[in-house]
């Protein structure tokens, strides 16, 4: 019997063979972190023309182009999250320093800081010899400001980590396992527990434990949340 593929390998194989993710999505494990960092969803930025946004995304395509005026390299980067797709325009002044980040991103999630271009038409866009102006004259795009890995952004954010505690995980043994998980990933971020019993909702601050959120932490947390009630 062959060993079961790791989640990352499985998703990469699905993307290579099918052209899309089938069983999950590389950003799925980061859902709590995306909320903790207050990142914008791509489906929501369409109505935020002119605003600065921060989005957690995957790179799905990169197209380099030379500007007509100076022959400098710029790029049009296709990105996606769990809600939609967008095009990120990166002009020559920035492309040189971030080129390797985007070309080598693979399935590594990034946090992009960008400005949402206003949705407007320009009848003279095709006659414009400046590629930078022509790029922003079309439909809404994200105009690049900065980028870092989602994992790095995770480490920089000190907002509390909010954990949903299922009813099936309220036993003393389950809570003991959760505290052990906190100890394994001990770090600077405070923890809050969200518990819902019948019609009552509670948000409990945990003073004695703090964590370093990471993809490994969230994977183990999700496994704990899916645990079945223990036999009595």
């Amino acid at each position: 019997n062959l060993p079961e593929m790791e989640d990352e390998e499985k998703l990469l194989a699905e993307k290579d063979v099918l052209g899309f993710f089938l069983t999950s999505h590389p950003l799925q494990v980061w859902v709590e972190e995306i909320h903790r960092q207050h990142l914008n969803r791509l489906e929501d930025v369409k109505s935020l023309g002119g605003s600065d946004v921060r989005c957690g995304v995957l790179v799905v395509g990169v197209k380099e182009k030379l500007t007509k005026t100076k022959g400098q390299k710029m790029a049009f980067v296709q990105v996606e999250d769990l809600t939609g797709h967008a095009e990120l325009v990166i002009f020559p002044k920035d492309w040189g320093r971030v080129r390797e980040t985007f070309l080598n991103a693979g399935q590594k999630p990034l946090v992009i800081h960008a400005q949402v271009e206003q949705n407007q038409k320009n009848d003279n866009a095709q006659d414009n010899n400046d590629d930078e102006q022509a790029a922003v004259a079309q439909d809404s795009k994200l105009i690049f400001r900065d980028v870092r890995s989602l994992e790095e952004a995770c480490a920089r954010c000190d907002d509390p980590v909010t954990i949903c505690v299922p009813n099936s995980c309220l036993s003393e043994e389950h809570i003991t396992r959760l505290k052990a998980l906190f100890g394994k990933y001990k770090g600077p971020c405070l923890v809050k527990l969200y518990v819902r019993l019948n019609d009552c909702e509670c948000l409990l601050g945990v003073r004695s434990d703090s964590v370093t959120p990471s993809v490994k932490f969230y994977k183990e947390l999700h496994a704990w949340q899916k645990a079945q009630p223990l036999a009595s």
Side-chain angles (χ1 to χ4, degrees), residues 160-161 163 175-176 178-193 204-212 217:
V161 175
I163 295 173
I175 297 303
T176 299
L178 182 60
K179 288 181 66 66
L181 182 63
F182 294 162
K184 182 177 180 179
Y185 293 98
K186 190 170 182 61
C189 296
L190 297 177
V191 174
K192 292 184 177 181
L193 303 181
L204 309 173
V206 181
R207 295 184 178 180
S208 59
D209 293 291
S210 55
V211 299
T212 298
F217 168 77

Side-chain angles (χ1 to χ4, degrees), residues 52-96:
D52 276 10
V53 296
R54 294 173 64 246
C55 304
V57 301
L58 288 184
V59 175
V60 295
V62 178
K63 181 179 180 181
E64 290 185 296
K65 186 176 181 180
L66 296 178
T67 61
K68 294 179 181 178
T69 53
K70 297 182 179 180
Q72 296 176 309
K73 284 186 178 181
M74 61 180 295
F76 298 86
V77 180
Q78 301 299 321
V79 296
E80 71 175 23
D81 67 4
L82 294 171
T83 68
H85 299 76
E87 183 173 64
L88 180 67
V89 181
I90 309 180
F91 295 131
K93 63 183 180 65
D94 295 310
W95 181 235

Side-chain angles (χ1 to χ4, degrees), residues 21 27 48 88 90 94 98 105 108 118 121 126 134 139 163 203 213 215 223 225 229:
F21 301 112
L27 285 174
L48 301 176
L88 180 67
I90 309 180
D94 295 310
V98 300
K108 182 179 180 181
Q118 295 283 3
K121 294 289 184 179
Q126 293 182 347
D139 292 340
I163 295 173
L203 187 61
V215 66
Q225 289 169 324

Side-chain angles (χ1 to χ4, degrees), residues 24-43:
S24 185
H25 190 283
L27 285 174
Q28 191 64 50
V29 72
W30 292 102
V31 167
E32 292 94 341
E33 192 59 29
I34 289 171
H35 288 302
R36 186 175 78 97
Q37 295 187 39
H38 309 290
L39 301 181
N40 301 92
R41 302 187 307 173
L42 290 180
E43 73 172 0

Side-chain angles (χ1 to χ4, degrees), residues 95-199:
W95 181 235
R97 68 179 175 87
V98 300
R99 183 176 184 271
E100 295 304 315
T101 298
F102 284 97
L103 291 181
N104 297 324
Q107 304 305 317
K108 182 179 180 181
L110 302 176
V111 173
I112 56 171
H113 175 202
Q115 183 182 51
V116 184
E117 183 57 30
Q118 295 283 3
N119 213 4
Q120 59 184 349
K121 294 289 184 179
N122 186 337
D123 293 335
N124 297 321
Q126 293 182 347
D127 298 328
N128 197 318
N129 289 326
D130 190 332
D131 287 316
E132 296 187 13
Q133 294 181 26
V136 300
Q138 301 170 14
D139 292 340
S140 283
K141 293 176 171 57
L142 300 178
I143 309 303
F144 176 83
R145 293 287 183 267
D146 201 2
V147 64
R148 60 170 47 101
S149 71
L150 181 52
E151 195 161 4
E152 179 185 354
C154 176
R156 288 170 174 258
C157 179
D158 58 4
D159 285 2
V161 175
T162 301
I163 295 173
C164 180
V165 180
N167 291 349
S168 61
C169 295
L170 290 174
S171 70
E172 182 177 352
E173 184 167 347
H174 277 111
I175 297 303
T176 299
R177 292 178 183 177
L178 182 60
K179 288 181 66 66
L181 182 63
F182 294 162
K184 182 177 180 179
Y185 293 98
K186 190 170 182 61
C189 296
L190 297 177
V191 174
K192 292 184 177 181
L193 303 181
Y194 173 78
V195 183
R196 182 172 183 176
L197 290 173
N198 299 323
D199 295 329

